[in-house]
Amino acid sequence: MIILGIVLLVAGFLLNIQILWAIGVVVLIIGVVLLVLGAMGRAVGGRRHYY
């Protein structure tokens, strides 16, 4: 999810499409939150790790 968020951010910036930029930010934040929760050993949605 983190990589997808970064790709959407770059695409939104280069193509000047604001909705891609906004979706990229949201996906990136969700990916980081899931990564942190997984690193702490807390299972989120039945999964311990999100890669």
Side-chain angles (χ1 to χ4, degrees):
M1 287 190 78
I2 295 172
I3 294 172
L4 177 63
I6 292 171
V7 168
L8 288 174
L9 280 173
V10 170
F13 181 74
L14 293 176
L15 299 174
N16 200 16
I17 301 175
Q18 295 298 319
I19 191 71
L20 283 181
W21 179 264
I23 293 171
V25 169
V26 170
V27 170
L28 185 65
I29 290 172
I30 291 172
V32 169
V33 167
L34 290 175
L35 177 71
V36 169
L37 288 175
M40 291 176 21
R42 181 179 175 105
V44 179
R47 297 187 65 176
R48 279 221 187 261
H49 301 286
Y50 285 86
Y51 296 105

